[in-house]
Amino acid sequence: MPSRSGTAAPQEPRNIEPLALHADAPDLAMPGSAGQDSSERARRWLVLYPRAIPLLIFLALAAITALSVFSIESNARARERAQMREYAQSLAAALDRSGSGFTSYLRAGAALFASVDEVSPDTFDNFVRALKLNTEYSGAEGIGWIPVLEARDLPAFLERTRKTQPAYPDIFPAPASATGRVAPVAMFAPATAVNRRALGYDMYSDAARAAAMAEAELTLRPAASGRIVLVQETSGTARAFAIYMPVFRMGADSKGAAGETEPGGRRLAGFVYTPFRAREFLDSALDRQGAMRFGVRLYDGEIGTGHLLVADSIADAARDTVTQDVTIADRKLKLVIEHADHRVLSPLSMVTLVFGLALASLLMLLARLLTQQAFEDQARLAFFEEQHSIRNSLTRELNHRVKNTLANVLSILSLTRRRASGLDDFADSLEGRIRALSATHDLLTVTDWGTTPIRAVIEAELQHFREALDDAILLDGPELELAPNDALSFGLAVHELATNAAKYGALSVPGGKVTIRWCRGNDPAAETEWAEVEWRETGGPPVAHERRRGFGTELIEKVVAHELRQPVTLDFAPSGVRCVLRVPVRRPADFRIREREADRRVRKP
């Protein structure tokens, strides 16, 4: 290629390879990574399990709270059950006192009536007045006298009784036969209108009453009946029971119930008895114990619907019950105390539960904030580590590129000086080539020193020529990307070709044209690709056969070919210069230093 440069041999620039980043390159030490203490281990747990740790703290405190509430409730239930037992015992004692009081009255009456030949109304009234009965608070209906007769002796009994009690009724229910025992109610005090309904009633006509009288006769002690309905009751639904005390008379000439004389010995003269309404009997004991929040049921013997005497139940279903035995005149009764607390939890349990859940929620929120802060700190450390690695990589890359650029500049400077005919020629040639490097540098700066389109490199180098000779330059080729170092070398070659064409070739005369075409080529065996660029000049002045090698020829054939590691073909045909270059098309990932370095840092365990 014709040139005005000198004849000195060009100095081949020193080749400096781009910085290669490998996955196995040594890592940058993270500050504080050695000798991690317990706080750092805790921080790591917070980072690894940002949701599980707060949830675990909440569940642990919630479990502690639940155990505390369970303990408080268990103690409350135990205390409540102890209160129920105490109440049952005190209520049983009150019932026992009521029954024992009237049992004493019956014993006294039995002793008095056993000492007389016949119980007259005066004797009975004197006895009752001496007792000073107060049935209002005891649940008892009063005290009565029941003589035991043979059925055949009833007419004589009615005749004697009606002499002192003209209104005495007939015996009811009427005896079924003329044989057997009859036990009619002869006297009852207090003599109210309701109580007078019991006069004349045959106690042996009811099985429960007859069984109690038979037991009392056998044991010689007061005996209580089972569940009965009082004769005084018109509705016949009020449950009651009665206590019977037998009266025996002793003596050789004791008279029978009909008035005849019987041989000596003990005989049953009758019973002193007291009936009790179950409701009033229980209420009297409840009144003495005071108002309680417990329900009460009183059963005759076994617990069951058929044995229920009276119930003072709570409205809701019983949550807990306590059973207490009560003995009234040798008869076993069952006292059941019920309790149903309307409150779901006790006040102390509610306070503990609310406080525990609030504390658990607060600590969970605090732990969540700590995990978030630890995660953010970890992210910042990773970011700083990444930036530190990128900065070191960029520093090494910058040093490498500066050295390469300086080497290229030194080579250009040396070759230009040797081929310059004078100082002005040297300055103009050097300035043009430095501007070519600068234009390509500017283009690479815009692309952040990543891959650069080949068209953009050509247009940057031909910008001044295309402004004046736009129609004379034709560009044609696909979109291909060049590596930064390859773009610099290729841009320098285009500049030299354009400068030579403007001085001596097709761009130096009107009608001359320059066509630049490129296409993609590859070598499957070597797994390499390149862009094959053809520079062709037409319409310019004929190229002389005799020419001396100039700086541009050596720059393209030596420097550019060496940097691109591809052959360069220069053909100085008479019709115009033709140059074919191969520029490597490398993988974009090889030049995205920051992205690859960041990925490697993030994936490192």
Side-chain angles (χ1 to χ4, degrees):
M1 178 183 296
S3 173
R4 290 178 293 173
S5 56
T7 59
Q11 181 180 359
E12 186 173 309
R14 181 166 54 108
N15 179 38
I16 301 177
E17 294 291 338
L19 177 63
L21 297 178
H22 302 283
D24 55 353
D27 292 328
L28 294 176
M30 176 179 167
S33 60
Q36 293 179 336
D37 55 9
S38 59
S39 62
E40 292 177 342
R41 287 194 295 270
R43 184 183 297 273
R44 186 187 302 117
W45 279 93
L46 292 176
V47 172
L48 292 177
Y49 307 101
R51 296 182 183 275
I53 295 299
L55 182 60
L56 184 62
I57 293 176
F58 177 82
L59 292 179
L61 288 178
I64 294 174
T65 301
L67 290 176
S68 301
V69 171
F70 177 77
S71 177
I72 294 172
E73 287 297 302
S74 298
N75 293 335
R77 297 293 181 268
R79 182 171 60 254
E80 184 180 275
R81 194 167 181 82
Q83 292 175 353
M84 292 174 65
R85 291 194 188 97
E86 182 182 358
Y87 181 64
Q89 293 172 359
S90 61
L91 187 58
L95 293 175
D96 183 68
R97 285 194 299 271
S98 296
S100 299
F102 272 87
T103 300
S104 301
Y105 294 158
L106 296 181
R107 289 180 182 275
L112 176 62
F113 297 159
S115 64
V116 298
D117 293 337
E118 184 177 355
V119 180
S120 64
D122 292 337
T123 302
F124 184 78
D125 291 340
N126 290 333
F127 169 69
V128 172
R129 283 196 297 270
L131 292 179
K132 297 180 180 179
L133 291 176
N134 185 0
T135 61
E136 183 178 357
Y137 300 105
S138 61
E141 292 296 302
I143 293 181
W145 163 246
I146 308 171
V148 177
L149 309 170
E150 295 295 332
R152 64 178 179 274
D153 298 330
L154 282 179
F157 169 75
L158 291 175
E159 183 180 355
R160 289 195 311 270
T161 302
R162 285 171 178 168
K163 289 179 180 179
T164 56
Q165 302 179 60
Y168 191 81
D170 292 335
I171 304 302
F172 67 96
S177 63
T179 60
R181 285 181 173 183
V182 180
V185 179
M187 302 172 194
F188 198 90
T192 62
V194 174
N195 289 338
R196 280 196 293 271
R197 297 173 187 166
L199 296 177
Y201 178 72
D202 181 14
M203 290 290 179
Y204 280 130
S205 63
D206 180 68
R209 292 177 172 88
M213 290 189 294
E215 183 180 355
E217 181 182 0
L218 180 64
T219 60
L220 305 180
R221 294 195 303 269
S225 69
R227 188 175 67 170
I228 62 174
V229 177
L230 295 180
V231 181
Q232 297 93 314
E233 285 292 331
T234 57
S235 63
T237 57
R239 299 178 181 90
F241 66 95
I243 301 177
Y244 297 90
M245 178 65 193
V247 177
F248 293 93
R249 292 201 179 102
M250 305 292 293
D253 298 327
S254 59
K255 294 182 179 181
E260 67 275 10
T261 302
E262 296 181 355
R266 188 183 68 178
R267 69 177 179 84
L268 179 64
F271 294 90
V272 183
Y273 88 104
T274 296
F276 291 86
R277 296 177 186 268
R279 167 59 61 186
E280 285 75 3
F281 181 68
L282 179 62
D283 289 344
S284 64
L286 293 176
D287 290 340
R288 288 193 294 272
Q289 293 307 308
M292 296 293 289
R293 66 179 185 275
F294 306 123
V296 179
R297 291 177 180 267
L298 185 62
Y299 292 90
D300 175 28
E302 298 179 0
I303 297 176
T305 305
H307 298 272
L308 180 64
L309 284 174
V310 63
D312 185 19
S313 300
I314 51 181
D316 297 334
R319 188 186 67 187
D320 196 7
T321 59
V322 170
T323 303
Q324 178 70 34
D325 292 332
V326 181
T327 302
I328 303 296
D330 287 343
R331 190 169 186 89
K332 300 294 184 182
L333 304 181
K334 291 289 186 181
L335 183 66
V336 178
I337 306 299
E338 303 173 339
H339 175 65
D341 197 348
H342 296 285
R343 298 171 301 181
V344 177
L345 295 174
S346 64
L348 181 58
S349 298
M350 291 295 295
V351 172
T352 303
L353 181 62
V354 172
F355 177 76
L357 292 180
L359 181 61
S361 301
L362 180 61
L363 290 181
M364 181 180 69
L365 178 60
L366 181 60
R368 187 69 183 94
L369 293 176
L370 289 177
T371 56
Q372 184 67 25
Q373 183 64 36
F375 184 80
E376 293 178 356
D377 291 345
Q378 188 71 16
R380 291 191 186 95
L381 290 176
F383 175 76
F384 292 151
E385 180 184 1
E386 176 187 346
Q387 294 300 313
H388 182 69
S389 175
I390 291 173
R391 184 171 59 252
N392 289 343
S393 300
L394 290 180
T395 300
R396 290 193 296 269
E397 181 69 11
L398 179 61
N399 291 335
H400 165 73
R401 296 188 186 280
V402 169
K403 289 179 180 179
N404 278 356
T405 302
L406 291 178
N408 290 336
V409 171
L410 289 175
S411 299
I412 294 170
L413 179 63
S414 177
L415 293 176
T416 304
R417 182 187 60 188
R418 293 175 184 177
R419 296 291 189 271
S421 59
L423 182 60
D424 293 336
D425 182 33
F426 170 78
D428 292 340
S429 299
L430 181 62
E431 180 182 2
R433 290 172 181 122
I434 296 300
R435 287 185 181 275
L437 287 176
S438 176
T440 308
H441 268 273
D442 291 341
L443 182 61
L444 293 175
T445 302
V446 172
T447 59
D448 201 16
W449 282 83
T451 57
T452 306
I454 189 172
R455 180 183 292 270
V457 176
I458 297 174
E459 290 179 345
E461 297 299 337
L462 301 180
Q463 179 180 2
H464 300 292
F465 301 102
R466 297 194 71 185
E467 289 178 358
L469 304 170
D470 188 27
D471 296 337
I473 301 175
L474 175 63
L475 306 181
D476 182 27
E479 293 293 331
L480 295 176
E481 302 286 333
L482 302 181
N485 282 349
D486 296 339
L488 285 173
S489 300
F490 176 69
L492 191 59
V494 172
H495 171 75
E496 292 300 328
L497 290 172
T499 302
N500 183 74
K503 289 183 177 181
Y504 312 110
L507 299 181
S508 64
V509 295
K513 290 184 178 296
V514 173
T515 302
I516 306 174
R517 288 188 174 89
W518 64 90
C519 62
R520 182 186 294 271
N522 61 75
D523 183 1
E527 295 183 354
T528 58
E529 292 185 354
W530 60 77
E532 187 169 283
V533 183
E534 180 188 22
W535 172 285
R536 181 181 292 274
E537 298 181 17
T538 59
V543 179
H545 292 285
E546 298 293 334
R547 68 185 187 285
R548 59 186 180 87
R549 295 181 60 83
F551 168 73
T553 302
E554 292 189 2
L555 179 66
I556 294 175
E557 290 181 344
K558 292 185 178 181
V559 178
V560 174
H562 181 77
E563 288 292 330
L564 296 180
R565 297 185 182 86
Q566 294 291 337
V568 176
T569 301
L570 271 174
D571 183 12
F572 297 95
S575 60
V577 177
R578 177 178 177 271
C579 179
V580 180
L581 303 95
R582 284 185 178 181
V583 186
V585 177
R586 307 185 190 185
R587 292 178 302 170
D590 295 338
F591 310 103
R592 292 174 182 171
I593 300 173
R594 276 182 276 188
E595 288 83 354
R596 193 178 70 169
E597 181 72 13
D599 290 341
R600 187 174 65 84
R601 292 298 180 182
V602 170
R603 293 172 184 172
K604 181 178 177 57

